[in-house]
Amino acid sequence: MNNAAIRPSQTQCLRARKASDFILYEYFVRCSIIQRFFGLPRQTQESSSMATESSDAHLADVFAWTMSKDFPSGHQVGKHSHCEGQLIFAATGVMELSTSTGLWLVPPQRGIWMPPNVEHSMRARGLVSLRTLYIQSAHYLEQLPRTPKAVAISPLMREIIIRLMRTRSILHSNQREERLLDLLLSEIEWSTEAALPLPPLNDHRLQRICSTILNNPGDRRNLNEWAELVGASSRTLARLFQQELGVSYLYWRQQVCAISALPRLSAGEPITLIASDMGYDTPSAFSSMFRRIMNRAPSQYFS
């Protein structure tokens, strides 16, 4: 399919943003981001024509921009999407990012690539210092995945991202910044981590089970116990997990445990404590499960 058919053009995105009202930052870059971050003058009727020519010339030179934002623990940004692709990274704190089909818990050693026009939401787990790079140049977007994907953030990538945050707009005319962006994208190592599949909103039985386990990954109830609570047989629930989430109930629960452990592992918490909180009798049993799900031992995951 032609990319132009599924993605608004650069001019459409930027003009739409310029014409919109800026609504705080709840939906990130809806808006007059150009006015606010690029320093363009407000238009009056008298200056409208001249301002349009001037701003359009400026916009044509912009192929990426950055945004920094700190969020308190528990802060939520509702469902939204962008014309641009986003490289989403938290310098500190853990983000919970979700789309209609999956969820990631993202510690500082990881980032998420969010393609254009993919609806997503975010919740801060602890104080989060968000650093986002918005890429809208077709030249770069054609080289990047069409679906959300986890990124391993190396020390070099972290420093480049932090350096680019000093520049709100990255221009074709600034070769130094363009080279930094080229280097950043060439350093990307796509992580093997997949999003945790989420249940469809129209099935209240799966919703109840999954939301409970997401809130308490140490919940060890089996399908027979859940069947009594949600009013369905264990056989029906087993079929629903395979049908709607593509995995067994046990494997999905283990995925939750492994993914929920990532922020705690990145913070240096002892595996013994994490294993106990996740409902495992021994650290070795937890480590065996983690290695099976994440293809690496917990002690080696962030090394």
Side-chain angles (χ1 to χ4, degrees):
M1 182 181 292
N2 191 318
N3 288 339
I6 60 174
R7 186 171 61 238
S9 70
Q10 176 178 7
T11 302
Q12 287 173 322
C13 286
L14 295 176
R15 282 182 171 166
R17 200 177 301 105
K18 183 174 64 177
S20 303
D21 293 327
F22 184 75
I23 306 177
L24 191 57
Y25 183 75
E26 281 296 326
Y27 294 95
F28 292 114
V29 277
R30 284 265 173 234
C31 55
S32 64
I33 187 174
I34 303 304
Q35 284 185 351
R36 174 144 180 186
F37 288 1
F38 300 158
L40 298 181
R42 290 184 178 274
Q43 293 186 4
T44 63
Q45 286 186 333
E46 294 78 10
S47 63
S48 176
S49 177
M50 292 178 59
T52 299
E53 289 183 17
S54 174
S55 60
D56 282 354
H58 182 89
L59 298 181
D61 196 29
V62 176
F63 65 92
W65 51 90
T66 65
M67 189 174 287
S68 302
K69 181 73 175 180
D70 291 340
F71 292 103
S73 181
H75 184 89
Q76 297 187 50
V77 177
K79 291 180 181 178
H80 65 288
S81 62
H82 308 279
C83 293
E84 313 81 18
Q86 293 174 267
L87 181 59
I88 306 171
F89 164 69
T92 59
V94 175
M95 297 178 291
E96 179 183 301
L97 283 169
S98 59
T99 66
S100 60
T101 57
L103 176 145
W104 292 265
L105 290 183
V106 190
Q109 294 90 338
R110 292 292 183 268
I112 294 292
W113 166 249
M114 192 66 64
N117 306 312
V118 174
E119 194 172 70
H120 56 283
S121 60
M122 189 277 285
R123 181 163 72 98
R125 293 198 173 193
L127 177 64
V128 166
S129 295
L130 183 72
R131 304 292 180 262
T132 302
L133 178 65
Y134 295 92
I135 300 175
Q136 99 99 48
S137 165
H139 168 71
Y140 290 104
L141 290 176
E142 288 168 359
Q143 305 173 44
L144 293 164
R146 298 290 192 270
T147 56
K149 201 163 179 63
V151 181
I153 301 294
S154 68
L156 176 58
M157 287 184 68
R158 174 188 170 87
E159 293 306 314
I160 295 173
I161 292 170
I162 291 173
R163 168 60 184 83
L164 288 173
M165 289 299 129
R166 300 182 199 169
T167 306
R168 288 172 175 169
S169 57
I170 301 173
L171 309 177
H172 287 290
S173 56
N174 191 320
Q175 293 185 1
R176 182 180 181 185
E177 291 166 0
E178 191 168 4
R179 286 196 297 269
L180 280 173
L181 183 59
D182 286 339
L183 178 59
L184 175 68
L185 297 182
S186 71
E187 282 292 307
I188 284 181
E189 292 184 15
W190 301 111
S191 173
T192 57
E193 296 162 25
L196 179 73
L198 295 176
L201 295 176
N202 60 358
D203 194 301
H204 68 277
R205 297 164 297 184
L206 286 185
Q207 280 286 323
R208 182 176 178 185
I209 296 170
C210 293
S211 62
T212 301
I213 294 173
L214 285 169
N215 288 325
N216 177 22
D219 193 314
R220 305 286 288 177
R221 279 177 281 194
N222 60 37
L223 279 183
N224 288 325
E225 293 171 299
W226 281 116
E228 294 181 13
L229 287 172
V230 301
S233 69
S234 60
R235 195 170 177 179
T236 295
L237 293 178
R239 177 179 55 79
L240 284 173
F241 266 90
Q242 288 287 356
Q243 179 180 303
E244 301 294 347
L245 301 179
V247 294
S248 69
Y249 164 70
L250 177 60
Y251 189 84
W252 188 87
R253 193 183 69 190
Q254 290 174 338
Q255 281 183 299
V256 174
C257 288
I259 291 172
S260 298
L262 293 180
R264 301 178 64 177
L265 289 170
S266 73
E269 288 191 36
I271 293 178
T272 302
L273 178 59
I274 298 173
S276 176
D277 289 346
M278 297 296 173
Y280 286 82
D281 294 332
T282 65
S284 61
F286 169 78
S287 295
S288 176
M289 176 279 297
F290 187 94
R291 187 183 295 107
R292 189 167 57 254
I293 299 295
M294 309 300 284
N295 299 315
R296 200 176 303 177
S299 58
Q300 301 171 339
Y301 194 79
F302 290 111
S303 61

